[in-house]
């Protein structure tokens, strides 16, 4: 029974958050909530490590300012006691040019007294960075884009 309730609490949190309800999402978190998503924060400054509702509010506000039409699918949600793991497929529309960014993320939630105390995300940040920057990062890192540009100029 408690596991089903925690599963539903996380799904309710996700529904509220992706509908744009930052305050409603924060209401479902403890005051000392901790967030961690390993990512290159120079490119994705809203990722990284954050603690407390004020820090999450700021991070989530940044995300909502950059993206609209946010939605998710949760094909897998597994609960064990006060821990909930979810595989999410996330869709975000960039406000500056309406392009859609989509990615998979594994999210691990810890709950205490019915509130989320920890959110830990694992994302393929390489793919996410390519979508956000709208360029082939692998080509840039290997120099293939430079080689192709030079060969096209020589023609």
């Amino acid at each position: 029974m408690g596991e089903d309730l925690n599963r539903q609490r996380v799904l309710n949190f996700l529904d509220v958050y992706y509908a744009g309800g930052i305050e409603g999402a924060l209401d479902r978190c403890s005051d000392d909530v901790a967030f961690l998503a390993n990512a290159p924060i120079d490119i994705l400054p809203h990722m990284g490590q954050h603690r407390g509702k004020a820090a999450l509010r700021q991070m989530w506000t940044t995300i909502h300012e950059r993206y609209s039409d946010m939605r998710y699918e949760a094909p897998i949600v597994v609960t064990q006691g006060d821990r909930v793991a979810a595989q999410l497929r996330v869709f975000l529309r960039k406000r500056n040019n309406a392009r859609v960014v989509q990615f998979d993320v594994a999210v691990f939630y810890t709950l205490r007294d019915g509130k989320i105390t920890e959110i830990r995300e694992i994302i393929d940040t390489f793919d996410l960075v390519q979508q956000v920057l709208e360029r082939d990062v692998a080509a840039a890192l290997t120099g293939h884009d430079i080689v192709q540009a030079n060969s096209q100029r020589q023609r």
Side-chain angles (χ1 to χ4, degrees), residues 27-98:
D27 288 344
R28 290 161 171 79
C29 297
S30 66
D31 290 338
D32 63 342
V33 63
F35 174 90
L36 175 66
N38 292 322
I41 58 173
D42 292 341
I43 299 168
L44 303 168
H46 49 279
M47 304 300 274
Q49 188 169 359
H50 305 276
R51 180 170 295 280
K53 286 185 175 184
L56 265 66
R57 180 181 292 109
Q58 182 177 11
M59 173 188 62
W60 290 343
T61 299
T62 299
I63 293 168
H64 281 44
E65 287 171 349
R66 292 180 180 190
Y67 303 98
S68 64
D69 300 326
M70 297 172 55
R71 67 181 179 88
Y72 78 98
E73 297 169 356
I76 300 173
V77 180
V78 179
T79 307
Q80 184 176 26
D82 288 338
R83 296 177 185 263
V84 179
Q87 174 195 343
L88 303 179
R89 181 80 171 156
V90 176
F91 304 86
L92 311 172
R93 184 174 304 279
K94 294 171 77 173
R95 287 190 188 274
N96 65 345
N97 64 6

Side-chain angles (χ1 to χ4, degrees), residues 136-151:
D136 185 350
V137 175
L141 291 173
T142 60
H144 285 100
D145 61 340
I146 295 168
V147 171
Q148 288 174 343
N150 287 338
S151 68

